[in-house]
């Protein structure tokens, strides 16, 4: 996967706490697929120990071995510069079982990169250990200082290239992965494409422009988004800008997306859908995920247009996946692709055709 625009910080182990094979480890999955910020040397995960991390994630061997514990990993791969907490927990809380593991890294002088809302640098015991052993505590989700925040700017209307929001019908449907796959395919088609990251994993992967949406004061979300887009446009002069979506327009635990369409001036949308998922976050009490057609209609009301649909086929057979693809293509009259199964070359060309129509 193509990830551009960042200098390497150093070597790193990823800690996935026995859930590398599950959605809870999506930060690990992103780093395994690619990072220009860290050189990922190993994954520590008791459940998948002995396997290649890439094969666990998506069946592709990437030469990143999985070990049961830190001692085994260091013996085989050497001491890393960093340990990255690779789990994305509900509410960003640090699981108790990870605390002792983190201490073990710190006493060995290994800095810890943390993308959870639980700030390691606020814990006196961890700070003391880090200082004693020459390690660092990097809390990626710590909010910016007020002086560093930006308010929305009308300069967004001076960005004269297509801005495409990659939005999902729910959380954890693969928006970031789809965005980076799209970037790679667009660049292969000859288009200079910038991605705006909006989550901690995008920062860890080394994407140059963006901000962490869910740790930004609400009054400044629109401003940080527009600032990232404007900065990328002025500096890179791209042919196209992709915005990494978060949550979904109607997930009740954290609705998100209107900012991209209104404040980010994204007039084009690529929608991510998982047909096997019927309710938000798989919880019946949270309500049913609307139909793709209904979501497209809502997006149209914001003044934007869905130009493509990418399907997450988790929970589907190959036959079911193809049936959904054909059905949506026929009924919605837009390009449809199976994100991980199909190549994106034809899909990207269809997207460009739709953009050029306007």
């Amino acid at each position: 996967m193509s990830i551009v625009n960042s200098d390497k910080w150093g070597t790193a182990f990823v800690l996935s706490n026995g859930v590398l094979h599950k959605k809870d480890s999506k930060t690990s999955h992103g780093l395994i697929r690619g990072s220009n910020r860290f050189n990922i040397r190993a994954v520590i995960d008791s459940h998948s120990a002995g396997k290649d991390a890439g094969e666990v994630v998506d069946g592709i061997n990437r030469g990143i071995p999985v070990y049961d514990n830190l001692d085994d990993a260091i013996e085989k791969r050497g001491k890393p510069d960093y340990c990255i907490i690779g789990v994305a927990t509900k509410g960003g809380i640090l699981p108790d079982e990870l605390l002792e593991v983190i201490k073990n890294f710190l006493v060995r002088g290994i800095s810890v990169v943390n993308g959870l809302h639980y700030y390691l640098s606020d814990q006196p015991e961890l700070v003391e250990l880090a200082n004693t052993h020459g390690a660092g505590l990097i809390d990626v989700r710590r909010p910016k200082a007020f002086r560093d925040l930006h308010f929305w700017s009308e300069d967004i209307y001076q960005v004269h290239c297509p801005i495409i929001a990659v939005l999902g019908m729910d959380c954890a449907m693969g928006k970031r992965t789809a965005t980076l796959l799209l970037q790679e395919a667009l660049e292969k088609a000859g288009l200079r494409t910038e991605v705006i990251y909006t989550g901690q994993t995008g920062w860890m992967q080394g994407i140059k422009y963006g901000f962490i949406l869910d740790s930004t004061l609400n009054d400044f979300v629109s401003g940080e988004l527009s600032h990232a887009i404007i900065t990328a446009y002025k500096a890179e002069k791209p042919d196209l800008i992709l915005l990494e979506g978060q949550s979904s327009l109607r997930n009740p635990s954290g609705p998100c997306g209107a900012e991209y369409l209104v404040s980010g001036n994204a007039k084009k949308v690529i929608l991510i859908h998982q047909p096997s998922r019927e309710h938000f976050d798989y919880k019946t009490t949270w309500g049913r995920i609307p139909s793709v057609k209904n979501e497209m209609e809502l997006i149209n009301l914001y003044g934007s247009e869905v130009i493509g649909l990418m399907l997450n086929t988790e929970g589907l057979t190959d036959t079911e996946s193809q049936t959904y693809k054909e059905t949506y293509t026929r009924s919605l009259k837009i390009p449809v692709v199976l994100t991980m199964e199909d190549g994106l070359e034809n899909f990207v060309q269809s997207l460009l055709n739709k953009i050029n129509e306007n």
Side-chain angles (χ1 to χ4, degrees):
M1 183 176 294
S2 172
I3 301 171
V4 296
N5 299 329
S6 180
D7 296 328
K8 290 282 190 186
W9 279 31
T11 58
F13 290 171
V14 177
L15 180 61
S16 55
N17 197 37
V19 295
L20 182 62
H21 59 299
K22 297 181 179 180
K23 284 182 178 291
D24 291 341
S25 197
K26 64 181 182 179
T27 297
S28 298
H29 296 177
L31 291 166
I32 290 162
R33 286 190 171 105
S35 174
N36 262 5
R37 193 177 299 278
F38 300 101
N39 177 7
I40 307 301
R41 298 282 293 155
V43 174
I44 298 175
D45 184 276
S46 57
H47 182 275
S48 299
K51 300 178 181 179
D52 178 86
E55 291 180 346
V56 176
V57 171
D58 56 14
I60 301 173
N61 189 303
R62 291 184 171 83
I64 302 174
V66 184
Y67 297 99
D68 179 68
N69 56 65
L70 177 59
D71 289 337
D72 287 349
I74 290 179
E75 179 183 350
K76 299 289 174 49
R77 304 293 279 176
K79 176 183 168 182
D81 301 308
Y82 299 92
C83 162
I84 305 172
I85 298 175
V87 292
T89 62
K90 293 292 184 186
I93 299 170
L94 181 73
D96 291 338
E97 63 269 20
L98 282 184
L99 190 57
E100 292 304 317
V101 181
I102 290 170
K103 291 177 183 178
N104 196 15
F105 276 97
L106 294 175
V107 298
R108 293 171 180 267
I110 301 169
S111 298
V112 178
V113 179
N114 168 41
L116 301 175
H117 285 299
Y118 179 101
Y119 304 137
L120 303 182
S121 55
D122 284 347
Q123 313 310 314
E125 182 182 10
L126 298 182
V127 172
E128 183 178 354
L129 280 175
N131 291 338
T132 299
H133 298 281
L137 296 170
I138 300 99
D139 290 313
V140 178
R141 255 180 169 148
R142 185 175 286 282
K144 288 184 178 181
F146 173 76
R147 64 180 177 274
D148 297 324
L149 292 167
H150 301 86
F151 198 68
W152 181 81
S153 169
E154 63 188 35
D155 287 350
I156 191 69
Y157 300 133
Q158 301 307 312
V159 175
H160 299 301
C161 74
I163 302 170
I164 301 179
V166 183
L167 304 184
M169 299 287 290
D170 194 15
C171 297
M173 281 191 170
K175 295 181 285 291
R176 174 178 39 77
T177 298
T179 302
L180 293 174
L181 288 171
L182 283 166
Q183 180 192 30
E184 183 176 52
L186 286 161
E187 289 179 344
K188 285 181 179 178
L191 279 81
R192 293 168 297 156
T193 306
E194 288 297 325
V195 167
I196 304 300
Y197 74 83
T198 55
Q200 70 277 6
T201 305
W203 178 88
M204 292 177 185
Q205 288 183 286
I207 301 171
K208 187 173 182 180
Y209 299 100
F211 72 111
I212 300 175
L213 190 149
D214 67 8
S215 63
T216 300
L217 285 169
N218 190 61
D219 276 358
F220 296 95
V221 167
S222 294
E224 287 295 292
L225 177 63
S226 63
H227 175 73
I229 296 169
I230 293 164
T231 302
Y233 179 70
K234 289 181 176 179
E236 308 296 339
K237 298 296 187 291
D239 297 311
L240 189 146
I241 294 175
L242 297 173
L243 310 182
E244 175 205 2
Q246 295 293 326
S247 187
S248 73
L249 281 165
R250 288 186 266 191
N251 182 300
S253 71
C256 181
E259 303 93 335
Y260 297 71
L261 307 179
V262 180
S263 306
N265 201 34
K267 296 304 181 185
K268 306 297 180 185
V269 173
I270 296 170
L271 202 56
I272 313 295
H273 177 51
Q274 180 184 325
S276 65
R277 194 187 307 188
E278 297 182 359
H279 298 89
F280 289 112
D281 207 30
Y282 298 97
K283 295 179 173 64
T284 57
T285 53
W286 287 23
R288 281 190 170 274
I289 296 172
S291 69
V292 174
K293 182 179 179 182
N294 186 260
E295 194 82 344
M296 291 173 64
E297 291 170 348
L298 175 59
I299 290 168
N300 286 341
L301 290 174
Y302 277 105
S304 299
E305 173 193 13
V306 175
I307 61 171
L309 178 67
M310 301 180 76
L311 296 180
N312 178 329
T313 61
E314 181 180 344
L316 301 177
T317 65
D318 291 344
T319 299
E320 289 171 334
S321 299
Q322 287 298 326
T323 299
Y324 275 112
K325 177 181 176 179
E326 292 166 7
T327 300
Y328 283 128
T329 300
R330 185 171 56 253
S331 63
L332 302 177
K333 311 299 183 186
I334 58 173
V336 181
V337 70
L338 307 182
T339 305
M340 303 306 295
E341 291 82 0
D342 294 342
L344 296 187
E345 181 179 350
N346 292 336
F347 180 70
V348 161
Q349 191 56 57
S350 297
L351 297 179
L352 296 177
N353 291 340
K354 287 192 73 67
I355 292 171
N356 290 334
E357 287 174 2
N358 299 322

